[in-house]
Amino acid sequence: MQLKLQHKQLNKSTKTVKSLGFEYLPSLLSVLRVIILPFLAYSFIFDYTFAAYGLFLLAIGTDFFDGYLARKMDSATKFGAYLDATVDFIFIIGMFRIFVTAGLYPYWVLPLILFVYIQFLITSFRSKKIYDPIGKYYGSLLFGAIGLTLLFSGQLFYYIISAGIVAVTGSSLISRLVYILKPQMG
Amino acid sequence: MQHIKELWPQKRWKKILLLTLLVLTVTAASLLAYASVGMNKDFITELVVTNPQGTKTALILHHPGLSSFSHDVAYAFADGLASNGWRVEIATPSIEAPTDLSKYSLLVVTSNTYASNPDKPTIRQLERIGNLNEIQTILITLGAGSAQESKQSLENTIQVFNGTIVESLLLYSMAPNEGGKSATEIATQTAQQIN
């Protein structure tokens, strides 16, 4: 009896959210990251340190809350999931473009990130999802790299981060390849 | 193709959102491209000469950067030197800028600060010049927020290239400058004291 009541209440709140038009809120939060990007880049270039930290934290906040709200409002969709991943990619590639321009990281980091996003898109269309324990956190790891770059400086530090990106990318690609080729290898 | 058709939104607000995302991405990419060019590209300009009858000659290097701040400070410094009897040549870092410093008694290097570092075109110009042969050098590091690291880096670079640092200024476009004066005022007043 209690379960039926909770189910009715949940359906009612979901309908209320949808009838009020709030179902687009998680997607709006995702798009907000692209709006933040040029302001964060500007703050970083001109050494407005605290502004850069604040904007970065805001970007992370939108990344967390867009998915959280979508699940809470029961409005999670494939469109929203792809939008979230695409916006993450735009944000990450934009920030690393600025880092490369400032001479912090080598140019090849950009095509590497682009390649990972493209192969994610292609493999996401497979009916059988690929098990990639590293790849599912790839975006988060790159966000972490951006945060560390804003916090710390020094060429040795940038070398370590670059090496880390290569290591994570390589590991993710290897785990995907192994998973795909495993049935053929018997 | 089928998957893309399945993902293509049916609801009007989702289509508007996608369009908005496209516009925002193009705008962000354009701004980043503009920033990249402004920060890193050499700008070839004609050599500007102030007070051609001056007794001694100074060379001022300044990269235009992303705003007019560098230009304003460089020319304010040039005005100060010219009022003190100097002939001043102003160049932007490029392959056309002077690399033979033998006719100059003073080198003034104006550098923008991007991500806590001196701008690359200025560093490239110093590399083109190579050995500064202990020429008297005045450094003007320009920043918006904080630029101490950049100032230090520029000083180290000049020392590596065998320049003699006479004065090293740090001037801000946004943060307050020493004595509450504007950056151009400080540049002019400093230049007027150089003999």
Side-chain angles (χ1 to χ4, degrees):
Chain A
M1 183 75 169
Q2 211 171 7
L3 274 171
K4 275 189 184 172
L5 194 62
Q6 281 173 0
H7 187 68
K8 266 191 186 169
Q9 281 169 343
L10 185 65
N11 271 342
K12 191 181 171 186
S13 68
T14 305
K15 279 181 189 167
T16 309
V17 161
K18 287 185 175 170
S19 68
L20 285 175
F22 288 148
E23 58 173 334
Y24 58 77
L25 202 55
S27 298
L28 268 186
L29 275 179
S30 299
V31 170
L32 187 59
R33 279 199 290 292
V34 182
I35 298 173
I36 290 170
L37 174 62
F39 294 100
L40 175 53
Y42 180 90
S43 301
F44 172 73
I45 290 168
F46 289 106
D47 295 307
Y48 291 115
T49 317
F50 290 112
Y53 294 160
L55 287 166
F56 181 68
L57 287 173
L58 183 62
I60 293 177
T62 62
D63 196 22
F64 172 77
F65 280 109
D66 58 4
Y68 175 80
L69 276 177
R71 286 185 293 276
K72 272 288 180 191
M73 297 193 308
D74 196 30
S75 58
T77 58
K78 256 190 184 177
F79 171 82
Y82 276 100
L83 180 71
D84 183 45
T86 303
V87 165
D88 278 348
F89 165 73
I90 292 169
F91 184 87
I92 289 166
I93 206 86
M95 283 310 298
F96 271 95
R97 181 69 186 95
I98 284 295
F99 293 155
V100 166
T101 302
L104 307 186
Y105 294 111
Y107 273 99
W108 49 255
V109 163
L110 299 176
L112 200 65
I113 297 171
L114 177 63
F115 172 71
V116 170
Y117 176 70
I118 289 171
Q119 64 91 22
F120 152 75
L121 274 184
I122 293 168
T123 55
S124 68
F125 290 141
R126 278 169 56 102
S127 53
K128 193 180 173 190
K129 297 301 167 202
I130 293 176
Y131 175 68
D132 181 3
I134 297 162
K136 63 191 272 192
Y137 298 113
Y138 193 78
S140 305
L141 289 169
L142 287 178
F143 263 89
I146 292 170
L148 289 172
T149 306
L150 293 176
L151 274 174
F152 303 110
S153 61
Q155 202 51 55
L156 176 63
F157 171 78
Y158 302 134
Y159 284 144
I160 294 170
I161 294 284
S162 302
I165 291 172
V166 170
V168 169
T169 306
S171 307
S172 171
L173 290 174
I174 288 169
S175 74
R176 282 175 173 252
L177 270 172
V178 165
Y179 185 81
I180 291 168
L181 294 172
K182 203 175 167 189
Q184 295 171 25
M185 285 158 59
Chain B
M1 202 60 190
Q2 183 61 29
H3 294 291
I4 294 169
K5 279 182 184 173
E6 283 172 8
L7 281 176
W8 188 252
Q10 301 302 315
K11 292 188 180 178
R12 191 159 172 260
W13 71 263
K14 287 185 180 180
K15 289 178 185 173
I16 292 172
L17 197 71
L18 267 184
L19 184 62
T20 306
L21 179 64
L22 182 65
V23 168
L24 285 173
T25 305
V26 168
T27 306
S30 305
L31 289 171
L32 291 176
Y34 166 75
S36 296
V37 168
M39 283 161 64
N40 276 341
K41 190 178 178 317
D42 286 349
F43 290 98
I44 298 175
T45 56
E46 275 186 24
L47 193 71
V48 173
V49 181
T50 306
N51 192 28
Q53 295 83 25
T55 49
K56 290 189 286 185
T57 308
L59 173 65
I60 297 180
L61 291 173
H62 83 98
H63 184 256
L66 295 174
S67 72
S68 63
F69 185 49
S70 171
H71 176 275
D72 294 344
V73 168
Y75 278 78
F77 201 91
D79 289 343
L81 284 176
S83 69
N84 214 10
W86 286 80
R87 170 192 159 94
V88 184
E89 293 182 7
I90 307 169
T92 53
S94 72
I95 51 171
E96 299 287 334
T99 51
D100 180 6
L101 302 185
S102 53
K103 70 170 184 172
Y104 300 106
S105 305
L106 178 70
L107 173 66
V108 182
V109 179
T110 307
S111 169
N112 299 294
T113 296
Y114 300 126
S116 305
N117 286 307
D119 65 67
K120 286 194 169 37
T122 299
I123 300 300
R124 279 199 297 269
Q125 186 61 31
L126 291 171
E127 288 167 356
R128 282 190 203 104
I129 294 170
N131 193 345
L132 295 174
N133 290 316
E134 298 180 352
I135 189 171
Q136 298 216 312
T137 310
I138 292 178
L139 305 180
I140 307 176
T141 306
L142 305 175
S146 61
Q148 276 294 344
E149 267 186 60
S150 176
K151 177 174 180 270
Q152 188 61 55
S153 177
L154 187 62
E155 287 170 2
N156 293 343
T157 304
I158 293 296
Q159 280 163 359
V160 163
F161 286 116
N162 202 22
T164 303
I165 300 173
V166 173
E167 179 87 55
S168 182
L169 300 175
L170 177 50
L171 300 176
Y172 292 110
S173 58
M174 298 287 189
N177 288 293
E178 209 178 298
K181 296 177 191 169
S182 71
T184 48
E185 277 176 330
I186 295 172
T188 305
Q189 285 167 11
T190 306
Q192 284 168 345
Q193 290 166 14
I194 296 168
N195 295 310

